[in-house]
Amino acid sequence: MSRYFIVYKPFNVLSQFTSQEGKPTLKDFFSVPDDVYPVGRLDFDSEGLLLLTNDKQLNHRLLDPKFAHEREYWVQVDGQINEAALQHLRSGVTINIDGKPYTTRRCQVEQFTGEPEIPKRDPPIRYRAHIPTSWIKMLLKEGKNRQVRKMTAKAGFPTLRLIRYRIEKITLEGLQPGEMRSMTQQALYTALGW
């Protein structure tokens, strides 16, 4: 039987169930059947939405680039971001992927007017009274290794905190870091637009 779970992966947790070098893993937070695994990944130092399932078709559809699906990231960057940097991110940024230059696809980027309503991070971002930060929302249809961090750094505003908030119509709403909710196949496929 196919099982489906949405989890809020905490900061500094590996997107897998087996440990490397004693780092915390999903197993430290979530109890799921042995045949259930994450679809894709979030970096150790990123947080947010992960799907866990044993549905191989879902895994294929979400990971194959030809089925480009929308992912929404909430990103805290170092400094007061400006319209030129936002436009640079929107139009595509050349970053390094596996030692080769890669130009990201056009994407939607907008600045939050204030700090979004999100759980506090543990440990918190280092506070610096004289250096402002900005929050931006990025909507991408691709997912290269550390892409968001590389993009914001290239635009001159390094990422301080990165949260994947949404995949298609599946969101983190109502979840705290380390929390999980199960979904039916029909609800999940509907939310993915299938």
Side-chain angles (χ1 to χ4, degrees):
M1 184 175 112
S2 294
R3 303 290 302 277
Y4 305 91
F5 304 94
I6 297 168
V7 304
Y8 189 140
K9 183 191 92 67
F11 175 70
N12 279 356
V13 172
L14 292 170
S15 293
Q16 59 196 43
F17 285 95
T18 53
S19 188
Q20 293 176 326
E21 305 135 21
K23 291 181 176 175
T25 70
L26 298 175
K27 190 171 190 158
D28 296 311
F29 295 88
F30 310 110
S31 178
V32 295
D34 288 343
D35 65 342
V36 168
Y37 294 95
V39 178
R41 57 189 294 279
L42 279 172
D43 295 320
F44 181 69
D45 54 353
S46 298
E47 49 190 299
L49 183 63
L50 262 184
L51 301 177
L52 308 180
T53 188
N54 55 2
D55 180 340
K56 291 180 174 41
Q57 179 187 358
L58 173 68
N59 199 53
H60 171 71
R61 288 275 306 259
L62 285 177
L63 296 182
D64 189 325
K66 76 178 178 190
F67 299 110
H69 58 277
E70 192 170 79
R71 307 153 175 96
E72 179 177 324
Y73 297 90
W74 293 3
V75 192
Q76 184 182 24
V77 296
D78 203 2
Q80 186 60 56
I81 200 161
N82 54 47
E83 186 57 35
L86 294 172
Q87 194 53 46
H88 187 192
L89 291 168
R90 289 179 192 122
S91 59
V93 180
T94 302
I95 58 176
N96 190 312
I97 301 292
D98 298 325
K100 299 184 183 87
Y102 174 81
T103 302
T104 61
R105 294 182 190 171
R106 293 183 65 82
C107 64
Q108 295 178 50
V109 183
E110 59 188 66
Q111 184 173 356
F112 281 94
T113 51
E115 187 171 327
E117 285 192 34
I118 50 170
K120 298 282 184 222
R121 197 184 84 179
D122 183 25
I125 298 289
R126 186 165 56 98
Y127 177 71
R128 296 174 298 174
H130 302 294
I131 301 177
T133 67
S134 310
W135 279 93
I136 59 174
K137 181 188 298 182
M138 298 181 69
L139 277 56
L140 306 180
K141 289 197 172 182
E142 60 180 343
K144 303 295 184 188
N145 185 34
R146 297 184 75 77
Q147 178 174 341
V148 170
R149 292 176 188 279
K150 290 176 181 179
M151 288 175 72
T152 66
K154 190 71 182 245
F157 296 87
T159 293
L160 297 173
R161 186 175 180 189
L162 176 56
I163 302 167
R164 180 161 58 201
Y165 178 75
R166 179 175 61 82
I167 298 173
E168 290 295 342
K169 293 181 181 162
I170 302 165
T171 73
L172 284 179
E173 191 171 342
L175 289 178
Q176 294 291 314
E179 290 184 350
M180 172 172 77
R181 138 173 107 232
S182 63
M183 286 186 82
T184 64
Q185 182 184 62
Q186 181 179 2
L188 185 78
Y189 278 31
T190 300
L192 292 172
W194 299 354

